[in-house]
Amino acid sequence: MSLILTAHGTRRATGVAMIGDLAAQVSARLDRTVHVAFVDVLGPTPSEVLSSLDTEPRPAIVVPAFLSRGYHVRADLPAHIAASGHPNVTVTPALGPGPEITHILSRQLAESGWRVGDSVILGAAGTSDHRARRDLHHAAALLSALTGSRVDLGFAAVGSPTVPEAVAAARGRGARRVVVASYLLADGLFQERLYQSGADLVTRPLGADAGLARLVANRFRRAALPGGPAINRLCRQSTLSPATLDLS
């Protein structure tokens, strides 16, 4: 069985290295090679990785290293898999939102120096996709419930408010300290924008936490159990094109 971790992609070498290190940690946990693919910015793409694995392809599992069910998960990834021609691919749910990611966020906050009473901004890349936006609001609500603190959303790329606007709004409400909880997987331009937002503290990207490797490894383990759906079989049975299938 082939294992593939699929991420967005970044031009920052540190971000690419962080995804590579995550795959290496998961490989060590599973004692199996985990391949890396990117849906944007750089390669190899999921279709290229799937096409290169075997002359007679073994079943493959793809874990989308994304924190919501946005366009890349619902459209780009199934299109890449369909283009590969691979006959047996299982795609797991995205990594977030969910209790595992929420606990990592909470741990990152504690390690950063966050204290109860600090204003918290969940700093996400942002999206114009309504499903993904609902996921981001759900992630903020989960973190608020776990920490007992108000958690607002701020966006580094797409959407309003921006992270600096969210930080300014928190200060306008009288917040003594503002902490941005990074809802990003790896270093890159968006993480740099979080650092420049004017917050008192900014947590590291989630990919820097060992708990993320444990979460990804468990995604692979569960998908390897009998009964996991094969995406290409779903494509043949559906009247929709692969790019419109909802994998959530």
Side-chain angles (χ1 to χ4, degrees):
M1 183 170 286
S2 301
L3 309 180
I4 304 167
L5 180 67
T6 299
H8 181 277
T10 175
R11 292 183 177 85
R12 296 287 180 96
T14 52
V16 176
M18 188 171 287
I19 297 299
D21 183 61
L22 174 61
Q25 290 181 54
V26 177
S27 295
R29 285 178 176 272
L30 300 176
D31 196 24
R32 297 283 299 277
T33 298
V34 174
H35 303 273
V36 175
F38 300 99
V39 297
D40 203 358
V41 181
L42 74 162
T45 66
S47 59
E48 290 170 341
V49 172
L50 285 166
S51 298
S52 69
L53 288 177
D54 299 288
T55 304
E56 296 182 2
R58 297 174 293 170
I61 299 173
V62 176
V63 173
F66 292 88
L67 299 170
S68 64
R69 298 167 294 170
Y71 181 84
H72 291 302
V73 173
R74 295 187 299 104
D76 279 350
L77 186 52
H80 275 293
I81 294 171
S84 75
H86 197 294
N88 190 357
V89 181
T90 297
V91 181
T92 77
L95 299 181
E100 302 97 333
I101 286 290
T102 305
H103 279 90
I104 293 173
L105 285 166
S106 177
R107 184 164 58 250
Q108 296 274 59
L109 279 172
E111 291 174 354
S112 75
W114 165 82
R115 299 190 297 266
V116 175
D118 291 342
S119 183
V120 179
I121 309 297
L122 186 65
T127 178
S128 58
D129 184 281
H130 69 280
R131 289 182 183 86
R133 198 170 182 92
R134 283 203 305 268
D135 282 351
L136 295 177
H137 281 283
H138 184 45
L142 289 173
L143 184 59
S144 177
L146 183 61
T147 61
S149 298
R150 172 174 173 164
V151 177
D152 295 302
L153 270 175
F155 302 107
V158 178
S160 178
T162 65
V163 178
E165 288 170 346
V167 170
R171 296 200 189 283
R173 294 192 299 268
R176 297 181 61 183
R177 292 204 314 172
V178 182
V179 183
V180 172
S182 176
Y183 201 58
L184 302 171
L185 283 175
D187 281 325
L189 175 62
F190 298 157
Q191 181 70 21
E192 191 63 32
R193 289 177 179 174
L194 301 189
Y195 290 136
Q196 296 172 354
S197 65
D200 297 287
L201 299 170
V202 177
T203 67
R204 300 176 300 162
L206 292 166
D209 192 284
L212 193 68
R214 183 166 54 249
L215 170 57
V216 173
N218 287 338
R219 283 284 200 272
F220 280 122
R221 289 190 184 104
R222 285 196 291 268
L225 295 174
I231 183 174
N232 283 9
R233 183 168 68 247
L234 289 174
C235 291
R236 288 197 295 272
Q237 292 175 350
S238 175
T239 57
L240 300 174
S241 70
T244 60
L245 284 174
D246 188 344
L247 301 177
S248 60

